[in-house]
Amino acid sequence: MNVLLGTSTVPEFTSHHGRGPSTDESRRASAAYMATACRWLDPLTEPSGPPKPLATRHQGQLIGQTQNTGMEANLLTPTKRPQSINRLTQLISRYFACCQEQFLIYTREGFEISAGGGCCLALGVWSRTTDAGTMGLTIRDVAKAAGVSTATVSNVLNKTGKVGPRTNRLVLLTVKRLGYFPNVHARHLASRDSRTLGIIVSDIVNPFFPEVIKSFETRARQLGYDAILSDTNYDPRRTREAAERMMEHNVRGVAIMTSEISSRLILEFERRRIAVTFLDLAPVRGYVSKLRIDYFSGIKQIVEYLHKCGHRRIAFIAGRPKLKSNLARLEAYEKCMRDVGLEPGPIVHGDLRFEGGLAAGLSIAKLSPRPTAVMSVNDLTAVGVIKGLLRGGCRVPEDISVTGFDNTRLAEYSNPSLTTVDIHRDMLGEMAANALHELSCSANPQGREYEIPAELILRDSSGPAPSEQS
C-alpha cells in the first residue's frame, strides 16, 4: 500500500464515522493497519518527479518523511501485526484537491483522515495491484473500490458529463490505481453499436502504407471512432484471417487496402452489414464504396515525360502479377508506350520490395543494348533499382533515368531524390474513413466511387537520355 502526501500539514485521525464509540484504542488499531505497510511518496510537489522515500523510527513512532520537501507525517506505532493483509487493501480511495479546507479519506472501518487548516495540495491512499490481479477486473470492482455505483463509473468512462468533477476525478484515479481497462469489445457486443473502424493493408514495411494508416486513424478519431489495423504481407491466408478478425471485433466498417481478398469474404461483410471501402477492387453497391486511383494518368505522365527527354528504350519493373493494382500499372505502361510509337520492354518482374528492385537493377545493368530509362511499379522498388544500377557501374541519371510511383517520403530522401507519381496517400486514408462513416450512418447505404488523382513529381533521378541514344 502507498500513501501519497502532498501537504505540509500533519495528517491525523481526527474523528470516527463508523459504528460504536470512538476510542484511542480503535484509532490506534486503524493506524496500525496503515503504518505496517505504508511508505510516503510525494510526486505532487516536486516537478522533477517523485523523490526517494525515507522511513525512520523516532521516539517510538513510525515517521514517514519525504526527502527534499521538508514534510513528515506521524503515525501511531503499531501495537500488533495485522491479521490479514487483505484488510489493508480494503481502504477505499479518495483523492481530493483542496485549498485552506479539510478533506477526508475513509477506511473500511469508518475512520477519517483529515489534513486541513494548511495550504495542502492533495492526499490519497491506495494499494498497488499486480498484473495478475488486474486480469479479471470488472466495472463492478472499480465501483466498489471507489465507493460509487457502476452507473457512475460508466458515465465517467463514457464522458457523458453527468458526474461532478470530484467524483469524476475519484473514479479516474481508481481506474488508474487498479490498472483497469474497459472491455471495449464486450461493450460493443452488448450494445451492438460499435465505434470501431478497421483497416487492412498489404505490407506495413512498404513506406506507402504508414501515411495512409496515419491519415485514416486521424480522421477516424475525429469522427469518434477507434481504429484497428491488420497487415496481410501479400498472403491470402493472412488476408482471410484479418477479415475474420475485423468481424470478431464487430467493426462498423473496414477499409481494405489490398486486392488479395476473396469474393466470399466481400459477400460476408455485406451479409453482416459492415461497411467496406476497397482500393481499386469490387464494384460499388450497397455497403461497398471504392477508392479508384488513376493509375493510367500517372503512368501516361511518366511515359510522355521520358519520351520528351529523348528516351526510346524504357524498361518497366513490374510487381506481383496477381495484384490488380500492379496489373493496372503494367497494362497502362504497355498502352502508353505504344501510343507514343515505342515498343514496350524489357519488362522485369519484381516483388514490390527493395530486394526485388535491387535484383532488377543488377540485371538491367548487364543488358546490351541497355535501356536509358527504367519505370518502377512503386518507390520502394525504384530505390532498389537505383542501388542495383549503381552496383552494376551505371550512373543515375547520367546513364539511366529511374522513376517510381506513390511519392512516399522515401522518394524525397533517397539519393538521388526520386522522380515519381503522387497519388496522395493522406487523401486515401481520409477518404476511406469518410466513406465508411457515410455508409455506416446511412439508413439506406449506397456505396460510391471516389477518384484519387495522380500527379508527376520531377526530382533528381531522371533527366535527358544519353546523347548517343537520342
Side-chain angles (χ1 to χ4, degrees):
M1 178 180 302
N2 296 321
V3 176
L4 178 66
L5 180 64
T7 172
S8 58
T9 61
V10 178
E12 299 174 323
F13 292 92
T14 58
S15 62
H16 181 273
H17 289 265
R19 297 177 181 177
S22 173
T23 65
D24 290 341
E25 289 77 15
S26 62
R27 294 181 183 182
R28 183 180 296 274
S30 181
Y33 289 116
M34 294 186 63
T36 302
C38 287
R39 58 190 176 94
W40 295 85
L41 303 175
D42 185 49
L44 295 178
T45 59
E46 286 290 317
S48 59
K52 296 179 181 179
L54 176 67
T56 61
R57 287 192 175 275
H58 178 64
Q59 296 179 353
Q61 291 183 324
L62 180 67
I63 298 177
Q65 185 178 38
T66 305
Q67 295 176 349
N68 304 325
T69 64
M71 300 186 313
E72 64 178 33
N74 298 331
L75 288 174
L76 296 175
T77 306
T79 57
K80 61 180 179 179
R81 184 182 182 85
Q83 295 178 355
S84 171
I85 195 67
N86 290 333
R87 295 190 66 180
L88 289 168
T89 61
Q90 288 176 347
L91 289 170
I92 299 174
S93 297
R94 284 289 187 268
Y95 190 97
F96 293 141
C98 65
C99 181
Q100 302 296 332
E101 63 182 54
Q102 292 188 345
F103 59 92
L104 310 176
I105 296 180
Y106 297 95
T107 69
R108 182 63 70 111
E109 286 76 14
F111 294 98
E112 72 179 35
I113 304 170
S114 100
C119 49
C120 57
L121 296 175
L123 182 143
V125 182
W126 75 99
S127 61
R128 290 187 181 272
T129 57
T130 64
D131 291 341
T134 64
M135 293 295 288
L137 284 174
T138 68
I139 194 172
R140 292 184 180 85
D141 297 320
V142 177
K144 184 177 180 181
V148 298
S149 68
T150 56
T152 297
V153 177
S154 178
N155 283 326
V156 171
L157 296 178
N158 291 314
K159 301 178 182 179
T160 63
K162 298 179 181 179
V163 180
R166 284 192 173 186
T167 303
N168 188 80
R169 183 167 184 173
L170 163 64
V171 171
L172 291 177
L173 284 162
T174 304
V175 166
K176 183 177 181 181
R177 184 252 304 179
L178 295 177
Y180 172 74
F181 290 93
N183 189 334
V184 178
H185 179 49
R187 186 193 305 169
H188 289 166
L189 288 176
S191 66
R192 296 189 179 183
D193 182 24
S194 172
R195 296 297 298 179
T196 304
L197 299 179
I199 182 169
I200 300 174
V201 301
S202 296
D203 183 8
I204 194 64
V205 175
N206 187 326
F208 170 76
F209 287 110
E211 192 161 341
V212 174
I213 295 166
K214 180 181 178 181
S215 60
F216 177 86
E217 193 268 347
T218 298
R219 183 56 181 153
R221 288 178 64 87
Q222 290 172 350
L223 293 170
Y225 297 94
D226 293 321
I228 57 176
L229 163 70
S230 282
D231 171 30
T232 71
N233 198 33
Y234 302 106
D235 183 346
R237 179 184 60 82
R238 286 184 58 174
T239 302
R240 183 182 68 252
E241 292 172 352
E244 290 170 352
R245 176 174 174 244
M246 296 297 171
M247 296 177 196
E248 289 170 0
H249 280 76
N250 193 31
V251 296
R252 182 174 286 192
V254 57
I256 300 178
M257 300 293 175
T258 178
S259 53
E260 64 269 8
I261 190 167
S262 68
S263 57
R264 182 186 65 81
L265 286 173
I266 297 174
L267 292 174
E268 183 62 22
F269 278 121
E270 283 193 274
R271 188 184 72 79
R272 293 171 179 255
R273 297 183 180 180
I274 296 175
V276 182
T277 298
F278 288 101
L279 179 62
D280 304 313
L281 186 69
V284 170
R285 55 183 181 267
Y287 283 88
V288 179
S289 284
K290 175 181 178 179
L291 304 179
R292 189 180 74 82
I293 297 174
D294 194 351
Y295 295 115
F296 186 86
S297 172
I299 295 294
K300 181 180 180 182
Q301 291 176 63
I302 297 176
V303 170
E304 291 181 347
Y305 159 72
L306 292 174
H307 185 259
K308 288 179 181 178
C309 287
H311 297 278
R312 299 297 179 261
R313 288 196 299 275
I314 305 173
F316 187 81
I317 312 302
R320 298 170 183 261
K322 293 184 179 180
L323 295 182
K324 293 186 177 180
S325 60
N326 290 190
L327 185 60
R329 299 181 203 198
L330 175 58
E331 292 174 346
Y333 158 77
E334 293 174 332
K335 184 178 188 308
C336 291
M337 287 286 285
R338 294 189 177 99
D339 286 347
V340 295
L342 301 177
E343 187 64 25
I347 297 172
V348 181
H349 287 281
D351 60 1
L352 299 175
R353 291 174 172 162
F354 176 85
E355 292 78 11
L358 176 62
L362 288 170
S363 66
I364 287 175
K366 298 175 183 178
L367 293 178
S368 181
R370 197 167 56 201
T372 63
V374 178
M375 295 173 57
S376 302
V377 68
N378 67 358
D379 288 349
L380 197 56
T381 298
V383 172
V385 168
I386 292 174
K387 186 74 170 180
L389 290 173
L390 293 175
R391 282 189 185 180
C394 299
R395 298 172 300 167
V396 177
E398 291 84 359
D399 299 325
I400 302 180
S401 290
V402 178
T403 67
F405 203 101
D406 291 342
N407 194 31
T408 61
R409 297 295 296 273
L410 183 65
E412 184 178 354
Y413 293 107
S414 66
N415 186 23
S417 59
L418 187 63
T419 292
T420 186
V421 172
D422 189 3
I423 53 175
H424 308 285
R425 303 176 314 286
D426 55 339
M427 185 185 298
L428 270 173
E430 183 175 341
M431 277 189 174
N434 285 336
L436 294 177
H437 177 64
E438 183 177 317
L439 286 172
S440 64
C441 292
S442 174
N444 183 28
Q446 182 55 53
R448 63 190 184 96
E449 183 173 292
Y450 300 79
E451 185 166 323
I452 311 295
E455 178 185 359
L456 179 64
I457 305 295
L458 298 178
R459 295 197 179 100
D460 298 335
S461 67
S462 63
S467 57
E468 64 270 19
Q469 299 293 341
S470 300

